[in-house]
Each structure stands twice: as C-alpha cells, then as structure tokens.
Amino acid sequence: MRLLLRALRAALGLRPAGAGLGGKQPWRPLSATPDLTELFAAPGLPRLLEARAGNGELAARIQRLRAKEQELQETQELARSDENEDLRKLAAKEVISCQEEVAELKRQIILLLIPSEETDNNDLVMELAAGVGGQEAMLFTADIFDMYQQYAAYKRWRFEILEYSPSEIGGLRHAVASIAGPEAYKNLKFEGGVHRVQRVPKTEKQGRIHTSTMSVAILPQPTEINLSIDPKDLRIETKRASGAGGQHVNKTESAVRIVHIPTGVVAECQEQRSQVKNKEKAMKVLHARLYDIQVEEVTRKRCSNRKIQVGTRGRSEKIRTYSFPQDRVTDHRISRSVHHIEKFMLGEELLDEMIKSLREYADYESLMEMISANEQTKLT
Amino acid sequence: MKLLISPLQRMIMGLLPPWGPVGINPIKSAALNAHQFLLRQNFSGKPGLVTAIDLVNYWQEVFEANRIPEAQESSEYIVSYVLGAKTFHSLSASSISTPLTAEQQEQVQQLSAKRLQRMPVQYVLGEWDFQDLTLKMRPPVFIPRPETEDLISLVLEEASRKNKSCLDNAVHQCPPTTPLHVILEIGCGSGAIALSLLRKLPQSQVIAVDKEVAAVNLTRENAQRFQLQHRLRLFHHDVSSSSREELLPWGPVDIIVSNPPYVFHEDMAHLAAEILRYENLDALDGGNDGMRVIKRILELAPCILKNYGSVFLEVDPRHPEMVENWLQSRPDLFLSLCATHKDFCGKPRFLHIQKTYSR
C-alpha cells in the first residue's frame, strides 16, 4: 500500500513525503519570507532605499530608523559597560523596546517599498471550472465553490452568483461569481490556478483514491475608469428577439447573452427572472473578461520569473493539492502545507492564513525583483 | 374578441380535474398514458427519491405532450419556486440532486396542473420579478413584460437630468421636504413601473391610477411589500371618462409615464391562450389603431404637466410615426415627440414626448 502510494505520488510529480515537505519535519513558519534582519543585511537594500528616498513618507521612516538604530547601539553599549548595575539593568530593558521599534520601522519600510497593483482594490469576478476527472472533478468544483463562498462571508464581502451550471449528481461544471469588498482582489488574486484533489470519490465503489482537478480564474472587475466599451460593439441576444414583443407576448424565458463583436468575447446570464438583471450581470462578467485581456497585455512583460503568478499565466499552473488520505492541503508555490483539510475547506482561518502567506511571499518576490532591477540600473 | 373565450368555456376549463399522477385528463388521455406509466415507475416505485432534475424532466415531457409553450422553462420555474429559488440556474448543486419531500412534490404537481391549463407561469407562482422587485401577480392584472424594464431606465435618465439642473440652479431653493420629482403613472397594473421608480428615486412621489379595482388593490399590496406606500398616492380612476378638471388637483407633475393598452384590436385574436384566457384584455386592447388610450393620455397631459415636463410611453413599433403625425395635427396640445427609443430587440418601443409651451 505504501509503495503504491509512493508510486502514485511520483506519477503525479509530487515529492515523496518526508523529503522537503515531509510530515516529520517542522513546517516552515507562517511566513515564507526571510526575516527582516536578513533582508536589511542584503547589500542591495540600502541602495534601493537610497533610490527611493524621494518618497517623503519612506524618507521619514528611514530617518527614524537610522536614529533608532543609533539609539539602540548607544543603549547596548550602556547596558554592557556602565559601572552602575541599576543603570545597566535599565538600559537592558531599554534595548528590548528599541529592538522592537527598529523591527516595526523596518516592517513599515518594506510595506512602503512593495508596489501595490493598480487593481488591488477592485472587486473581482471568480470563474471556476471542473477539470480532469469527470463527475468527481465536478463534485470537487462544487466543494471549492462552497469554500470561496464561505470565505467571502468570513471576510464580509458580497458574493453574487452570476453563472452556475451544476452536474446531475450535485457537482458543478462551471460557475462564475462576483465578489466585492475591501481588498477582495488583493486577497484572492493568488487563488487562480489548478487545484488538485486526491480522495476516494463518492461515486467510487471499490474505495480507490482518484486524482482530479478543477481550475480557478480571478479577474479584476474594472471600474468605469479602467475600461470603456462602445455600446455599438455589443450584440445583446435574447430569446424574445423574434416576433412582435411587448404586450403581444407573455414569455418567461429571461436568459441574456452578450457578445463583444470585435473580440468575440461572450458572457451570458440566466440566474434571474428579470431580463434586465440578467443583462446587468452578464455585462459585469463581460467587462471583467475584457479588462482581463487588457491587463494581461500590460503585465505580460513584467512579472515573468515569479513563482506566484496572477492572470492567465498562473491559470494553467498546478498551485495546490488537497490530499484527503493525508488530511493535508499543500500550496506548491510556497511549499507550505496545512493539516485539517475539512477545516481548511470551511473557508475560514486556515484558508485565510494560507492566503496571507501567499501575499507575503509575493510581496517578498516583488521586493527582490525591485532590488535586482535597481542593482542593474546601478551597473549600467 | 372576448367571445373567443366564452365564460362557459372558462367554467368548463375550471371544472376539469387537475391533472396529476392519478387523475386522467379525458381530452389528452391518449397522449399521457406513457407519462402516467413513467410517473408510477418513478414516484410510487421509490417514493422520496425524486430529485429536482427528475421532476423538471418529467413535467417538461408532460407539458410538451400537451403542447404547453415554454415547456422546459415552465417546469424549471415551478420546481425552483417550490425549492425556494428564482430560477433553476440559481439552485445550488446539492439542492438539485437532493430528493424532494412528499409535500414539495405535491406542490409541484398542483402548480403544474395550473400550467397545464395554460395559466401564465407568473400567475401560477403568484409572483414575478421586475427590475429589483419581486412582485405579487394575480389574475387578471396585466403581467409586466421585460421590455418595460427599459422604460424605467429612460425615466430614470430624465429624472437625473432634471435633478442635475435643479442642483445647478437652485441648491438652496429645493427644501428637502418637497419631493424632487412628482410622477404620474396611468394604468399601474401590478405597480411594477410606479414601485420601481419609487425604489430608484428616493426623493420622488408617484401618483398611480388604474381603472380596475383589482389592479389598484394589487399595486397597494405590492407597495406595502416594499414599504413604499408613503410616497405613493393611488386612485381608482378611468382616464378615458374623466375630464381635465378632475385631474387638476394631482398636478402639476414632472413626468407622466404609461404602458397603455396598445395592441391593435385586429391583433387581439392572435394572442396566446395564456394572455386571452387569463389577463384583463382591456389592459392590452388599444382599439382599431391601438391608440385609443395613447391619444387620451396625450390630450390630458398638457393640463397636468409642468412646463417642459415629459411623457414616457411604451407603444407598438408602428406607433411612433402615427403618434408624431397625430401630434402635428393637434398643435393645441403643445406637445412634441422629442425621442423614440428602441427596446432590446431593436424595435422602436418607447416615446419621449415633451410639453413645449403653455399659456
């Protein structure tokens, strides 16, 4: 059985348990970023800080950091060599609070350095689709849909279903939802990608473990400033198009499909009994899809080497495995695993912590990218 | 036209046993035997194991066999309604595959029996959505059509234009207690237009009239449903027989809006059974040229409308030209057609008429 498991894992391209991700080793700390001292010791950082000194808020923090570090040094000196024992004790206490303040200032400086994306505060459209694995993949897609719906409730975001096509046995083929709330996109943008599940499906009679996949796409919802569409480029299709219409007809079919003629991008909605509501919702999805194309063109050039990708580049990548036999969820980008898979899929603290780690890691990556870009300009 | 559906015929329809798993409709029994069989197999064989999907498929086939229009949609709406959802697409994956209780199955059957008699789905469910509102629907009050949702957008655009100019000119002259817009709706039916406008324009007041008591009552119930009755003045009134003087106390108003009966009388015979059997045909029949009520509204408009006030009408695609010609023949009304807007199917459907001048 063990061998079989190992073979299966090897076939799936997973590292064997115990090596690197092994169960006996302590997991990496919550944050995958190196600690602040390490970061500030890197030679590139002071040069980057120098280059960014034009930023008033940043400059002020750097100045305070320098002053605090000076104070820390003096207090340390005092704590070590003063003749008076009471004074030495007092100074030792002072050293601790100084160190804390230094760390806090460094943290703030790092936060100021990390660029925020234009779209970070936008709302978003989340698309889910079942992948490889037939009915089981659809069942898993329904589970993941529930997880994000609950996560939105946990974060007090508004979650609105725009498209939902279930399978016959309670799975989900494809779904689209709109999520709105503070920092919704900033948090969820790293959830895009292929999610993989390993478990004994409900449909499996012989107790065999199957591996199936589903994919998530996260599209920032454009604001009116981000995107403008010429109404002439849209073709709005309804079932009512033929015939007299108006008072002559009393039909209940209310589905709406909108085609953006120049790009061929399509969105449709049939969740509502009101046709106008369906049109509004379909328009929302269409806007997000068109904006995604626009953003993609801009970001394709940069962000090329990061482990954590957003947009279409990250969508085909296997980002996470939900292994039921091991009761463990692993994010492959930051090599972080969490136990208690069912608790994770409740979409509460455990998912939130995973998302936090991803954000921190992404921040770290973009900071490193900035340092190296800064170094390169120095050299040329 | 009403001769088509004689009262006697309606009575007979009403007396037929509601069709269900054990009842046999004498007219359609031949067509239904196969389904009867399927039903027994599915429902009595393993009771309690019927899912939403099974029921939708089953009733869709029954509707199809009985030539009920929109068989699939009807079946989906009824099952979704019983499960507490608006559409089949908004049901969650798990509720689609969960077996229905005996009570739920019974309810689906009762509603489907009504649909088998060509009752419109909106009446079968007793509710339908218009814009953001889920409104009570009850025969014979006219069921709002999706085209009319766009009429609301047009009125809202006009209101926001007025709003802007009011803000530009007289920020301090508009005391907050007086409504920004007073709107008159003629022929309010279920209240769809009046209530949508009240909902979207929180500083407005609407006067709504209808010549049918049933409509006035339904509008009132729907207004209470959304707590909008305080800004709504509702009258049981027939504009066709009223004099200008009777309307004066309501005015002056900023906007008149109406979806008047506009079907040409000769077209009435071709309407679907759902409409002919259940809806109040007076809400549709616009006389020989479909303009009987349209003309009446335009004759009354000048005396209740403020200067440069607007009339918004939903009409038949043949009407814009006819109305424009008629207005030109009636310079005494001081009204001019300032825009024709198309509906979502591209048909000229909405008229924006403005009062130009008054003595």
Side-chain angles (χ1 to χ4, degrees):
Chain A
M1 190 64 211
R2 257 190 101 87
L3 265 171
L4 215 147
L5 247 165
R6 201 175 296 167
L8 184 75
R9 223 185 266 118
L12 294 169
L14 260 184
R15 276 182 267 175
L21 298 175
K24 275 165 205 151
Q25 280 184 8
W27 300 113
R28 276 180 185 238
L30 189 73
S31 158
T33 53
D35 69 73
L36 292 164
T37 344
E38 206 178 303
L39 203 59
F40 272 76
L45 190 76
R47 286 197 283 272
L48 179 67
L49 288 179
E50 211 173 295
R52 294 296 162 104
N55 178 337
E57 209 179 335
L58 186 62
R61 293 263 154 73
I62 294 170
Q63 215 171 359
R64 269 170 61 200
L65 176 65
R66 297 279 170 264
K68 223 12 140 191
E69 279 176 334
Q70 182 71 36
E71 192 188 325
L72 176 64
Q73 218 169 14
E74 285 165 14
T75 323
Q76 273 171 334
E77 189 57 37
L78 210 66
R80 205 167 33 238
S81 54
D82 200 271
E83 290 156 7
N84 186 328
E85 202 197 322
D86 286 348
L87 208 60
R88 279 209 305 277
K89 276 184 184 161
L90 202 69
K93 265 186 202 162
E94 193 77 1
V95 164
I96 293 169
S97 84
C98 257
Q99 280 168 336
E100 276 168 10
E101 277 179 76
V102 165
E104 174 60 21
L105 278 167
K106 283 180 175 173
R107 207 182 57 81
Q108 287 175 5
I109 287 166
I110 296 297
L111 280 180
L112 282 171
L113 275 175
I114 291 162
S116 66
E117 264 182 78
E118 187 196 345
T119 47
D120 271 355
N121 284 314
N122 288 32
D123 297 337
L124 63 103
V125 165
M126 176 183 263
E127 264 193 277
L128 295 93
V132 184
Q135 288 292 348
E136 158 68 355
M138 295 179 203
L139 288 170
F140 179 57
T141 309
D143 294 341
I144 293 289
F145 182 88
D146 291 345
M147 175 175 89
Y148 287 123
Q149 188 165 21
Q150 284 158 20
Y151 185 62
Y154 173 76
K155 299 292 271 186
R156 295 176 187 279
W157 294 328
R158 200 161 48 80
F159 187 96
E160 192 184 18
I161 300 170
L162 301 177
E163 270 181 57
Y164 194 93
S165 28
S167 75
E168 306 229 329
I169 61 159
L172 182 57
R173 290 169 205 278
H174 178 245
V176 182
S178 152
I179 302 176
E183 297 198 320
Y185 181 72
K186 195 177 184 172
N187 278 283
L188 287 172
K189 63 182 170 186
F190 304 123
E191 293 302 290
V194 174
H195 297 237
R196 178 166 57 175
V197 67
Q198 297 170 322
R199 66 180 176 191
V200 181
K202 265 193 242 170
T203 49
E204 165 68 49
K205 294 199 172 68
Q206 277 149 30
R208 284 176 301 206
I209 295 169
H210 289 221
T211 299
S212 318
T213 64
M214 61 82 58
S215 67
V216 176
I218 306 284
L219 321 178
Q221 181 77 58
T223 59
E224 273 175 40
I225 315 155
N226 297 142
L227 183 80
S228 65
I229 298 174
D230 187 346
K232 285 194 206 88
D233 287 343
L234 299 178
R235 188 171 71 235
I236 294 167
E237 297 170 358
T238 63
K239 284 265 174 80
R240 257 176 108 83
S242 58
Q247 290 175 2
H248 293 78
V249 185
N250 178 24
K251 291 265 171 76
T252 52
E253 159 65 57
S254 61
V256 175
R257 187 179 133 100
I258 308 176
V259 184
H260 184 249
I261 302 160
T263 57
V265 173
V266 176
E268 53 194 350
C269 182
Q270 43 189 332
E271 301 303 309
Q272 301 286 316
R273 293 193 297 214
S274 151
Q275 188 163 292
V276 152
K277 291 276 120 194
N278 278 335
K279 192 170 122 190
E280 281 172 15
K281 288 185 162 198
M283 203 64 95
K284 216 176 201 179
V285 178
L286 186 82
H287 280 203
R289 289 190 179 144
L290 290 173
Y291 185 51
D292 187 54
I293 295 172
Q294 186 180 309
V295 170
E296 197 54 33
E297 274 166 17
V298 179
T299 50
R300 193 178 305 147
K301 289 142 208 158
R302 57 172 217 245
C303 320
S304 47
N305 296 318
R306 296 191 194 169
K307 267 193 191 166
I308 301 183
Q309 296 282 355
V310 291
T312 47
R313 189 177 285 275
R315 243 159 255 167
S316 53
E317 187 198 351
K318 237 169 250 158
I319 60 160
R320 201 174 285 160
T321 297
Y322 301 71
S323 168
F324 280 76
Q326 296 175 22
D327 193 24
R328 189 169 80 194
V329 180
T330 304
D331 195 291
H332 306 299
R333 295 164 297 181
I334 54 173
S335 305
R336 180 164 190 260
S337 290
V338 204
H339 285 282
H340 307 301
I341 200 162
E342 291 198 353
K343 219 173 146 194
F344 185 92
M345 294 186 76
L346 286 179
E348 293 174 355
E349 292 91 351
L350 288 182
L351 174 61
D352 199 42
E353 277 171 27
M354 181 68 95
I355 286 173
K356 253 187 220 150
S357 305
L358 281 160
R359 277 176 57 184
E360 281 170 15
Y361 193 84
D363 284 350
Y364 164 72
E365 277 196 324
S366 71
L367 188 63
M368 284 307 166
E369 220 172 63
M370 280 173 57
I371 290 175
S372 83
N374 188 53
E375 294 298 282
Q376 271 166 19
T377 52
K378 278 272 149 56
L379 286 174
T380 50
Chain B
M1 209 57 268
K2 276 174 226 166
L3 285 177
L4 255 185
I5 310 299
S6 67
L8 184 71
Q9 221 172 337
R10 273 197 191 188
M11 257 177 63
I12 295 170
M13 295 299 294
L15 286 175
L16 290 177
W19 195 86
V22 280
I24 294 178
N25 185 323
I27 306 167
K28 304 280 185 186
S29 59
L32 286 179
N33 278 340
H35 299 291
Q36 198 99 42
F37 179 72
L38 180 100
L39 192 72
R40 287 234 173 81
Q41 265 204 327
N42 274 358
F43 294 177
S44 14
K46 31 174 186 171
L49 287 178
V50 180
T51 66
I53 288 191
D54 295 336
L55 268 188
V56 165
N57 291 339
Y58 171 71
W59 282 107
Q60 180 183 342
E61 281 178 48
V62 174
F63 290 150
E64 275 165 2
N66 284 271
R67 298 171 192 274
I68 303 294
E70 297 196 295
Q72 183 187 345
E73 289 82 3
S74 300
S75 173
E76 286 182 353
Y77 281 126
I78 289 170
V79 172
S80 315
Y81 173 79
V82 169
L83 293 177
K86 295 243 171 109
T87 61
F88 200 63
H89 275 89
S90 64
L91 281 171
S92 73
S94 56
S95 60
I96 283 180
S97 52
T98 310
L100 272 74
T101 65
E103 290 77 26
Q104 286 172 324
Q105 290 180 43
E106 172 74 22
Q107 203 189 346
V108 169
Q109 187 191 312
Q110 280 171 2
L111 297 176
S112 300
K114 291 185 183 174
R115 183 70 191 113
L116 274 173
Q117 318 234 350
R118 298 292 297 261
M119 183 187 265
V121 171
Q122 297 94 330
Y123 290 152
V124 169
L125 306 183
E127 63 170 42
W128 200 250
D129 288 12
F130 184 85
Q131 291 253 353
D132 295 319
L133 309 173
T134 299
L135 299 166
K136 272 193 206 178
M137 293 289 143
R138 196 163 54 214
V141 181
F142 179 77
I143 297 164
R145 311 293 199 251
E147 281 85 351
T148 312
E149 292 183 309
D150 285 338
L151 181 61
I152 305 297
S153 320
L154 292 174
V155 178
L156 291 178
E157 274 170 37
E158 176 66 16
S160 75
R161 246 196 316 273
K162 282 222 171 97
N163 219 347
K164 226 176 154 195
S165 63
C166 173
L167 281 176
D168 289 347
N169 299 332
V171 181
H172 307 292
Q173 288 166 29
C174 295
T177 43
T178 58
L180 265 179
H181 314 278
V182 181
I183 300 166
L184 168 66
E185 191 198 354
I186 296 170
C188 57
S190 61
I193 296 175
L195 299 176
S196 294
L197 291 173
L198 282 171
R199 178 80 156 228
K200 294 267 169 79
L201 299 169
Q203 284 175 282
S204 67
Q205 201 178 75
V206 172
I207 302 158
V209 301
D210 202 292
K211 74 188 191 69
E212 299 293 335
V213 183
V216 173
N217 288 339
L218 189 57
T219 295
R220 184 178 298 115
E221 285 172 44
N222 277 323
Q224 280 159 358
R225 208 172 192 185
F226 300 101
Q227 296 294 306
L228 292 169
Q229 68 271 27
H230 310 293
R231 289 187 286 127
L232 176 71
R233 291 163 67 199
L234 200 54
F235 297 99
H236 175 215
H237 184 91
D238 184 358
V239 287
S240 299
S241 59
S242 66
S243 65
R244 294 182 176 208
E245 287 66 37
E246 278 179 83
L247 304 183
L248 278 176
W250 299 345
V253 303
D254 300 277
I255 294 170
I256 296 174
V257 60
S258 183
N259 175 18
Y262 59 69
V263 177
F264 288 53
H265 183 77
E266 60 174 12
D267 291 348
M268 291 295 292
H270 310 297
L271 301 182
E274 279 77 5
I275 299 174
L276 290 175
R277 285 188 205 167
Y278 292 91
E279 283 192 297
N280 177 12
L281 298 179
D282 281 354
L284 299 134
D285 190 343
N288 289 332
D289 59 356
M291 296 224 324
R292 191 174 48 82
V293 184
I294 294 173
K295 285 179 192 163
R296 186 67 198 143
I297 291 170
L298 295 177
E299 279 167 352
L300 293 170
C303 72
I304 22 175
L305 215 49
K306 286 181 189 168
N307 279 342
Y308 305 107
S310 295
V311 183
F312 286 92
L313 297 175
E314 180 178 322
V315 296
D316 184 276
R318 287 165 284 181
H319 280 144
E321 211 186 323
M322 293 163 69
V323 170
E324 189 167 22
N325 292 337
W326 184 77
L327 281 177
Q328 276 163 7
S329 74
R330 291 293 304 268
D332 58 309
L333 295 178
F334 299 102
L335 294 174
S336 69
L337 178 63
C338 69
T340 301
H341 297 276
K342 289 182 173 163
D343 64 17
F344 53 77
C345 298
K347 295 194 173 75
R349 179 71 67 190
F350 309 106
L351 300 181
H352 179 190
I353 293 159
Q354 206 165 24
K355 182 175 171 185
T356 49
Y357 170 80
S358 177
R359 284 146 296 181

